[in-house]
């Protein structure tokens, strides 16, 4: 099986809003939606993180893979789960990890908050 990217989803994101006590954060809903889609394998290896320091522009996530740029993503919603995995597939197929907005699902055109070069850049 080809190598899969690592998709990290912030499980504590509130999508820029206050949530009621006991309410499930949108970030946890996004994580659960992605996990459900990946239940039988799929486009990414998923893990969760608590607060990725992008609270005002959450839900937040990151896509990383050896030798490629790491992309930090924001403005996500639980309903973006399937599109996020489509993006992960395109990211994995790209030589550098760069996926122009026109090649992403329409719902994800404006989600890139920043990117970090591959570790090999530091050599
Ligand atoms: S809670 Fe998700 S970035 Fe802070």
């Amino acid at each position: 099986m080809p190598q899969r990217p690592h998709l990290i989803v912030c499980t504590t994101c509130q999508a820029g809003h206050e949530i009621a006590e006991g309410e499930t954060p949108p970030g946890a809903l996004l994580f659960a939606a992605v996990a459900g889609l990946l239940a039988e394998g799929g486009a990414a290896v998923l893990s969760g993180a608590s607060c990725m320091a992008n609270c005002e522009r959450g839900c937040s996530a990151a896509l990383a893979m050896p030798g490629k740029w790491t992309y930090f993503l924001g403005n996500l919603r639980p309903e973006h789960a399937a599109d996020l995995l489509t993006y992960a597939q395109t990211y994995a197929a790209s030589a550098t990890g760069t996926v122009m907005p026109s090649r992403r699902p329409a719902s994800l055109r404006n989600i890139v908050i920043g990117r970090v070069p591959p570790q090999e850049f530091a050599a």
Side-chain angles (χ1 to χ4, degrees):
M1 174 182 247
Q3 197 174 17
R4 295 181 294 163
H6 190 186
L7 175 62
I8 306 127
V9 173
C10 176
T11 57
T12 51
C13 266
Q14 299 183 15
H17 305 288
E18 292 291 320
I19 63 170
E21 190 170 332
E23 187 180 340
T24 303
L29 295 175
L30 175 62
F31 180 89
V34 172
L37 292 170
L38 289 173
E40 295 175 20
V45 176
L46 176 67
S47 62
S50 293
C51 192
M52 296 166 75
N54 185 49
C55 312
E56 292 303 313
R57 291 185 287 180
C59 300
S60 308
L63 260 179
M65 200 169 175
K68 298 184 193 284
W69 289 78
T70 294
Y71 278 81
F72 189 69
L73 315 172
N75 302 314
L76 293 164
R77 299 289 177 267
E79 57 269 27
H80 290 147
D83 285 347
L84 194 51
L85 291 176
T86 299
Y87 174 39
Q89 247 175 339
T90 312
Y91 171 87
S94 159
T96 62
T98 301
V99 179
M100 299 308 286
S102 62
R103 296 196 56 229
R104 286 182 226 140
S107 69
L108 305 184
R109 294 269 159 81
N110 299 311
I111 58 158
V112 174
I113 303 297
R115 65 179 190 161
V116 178
Q119 196 168 10
E120 295 78 10
F121 268 42

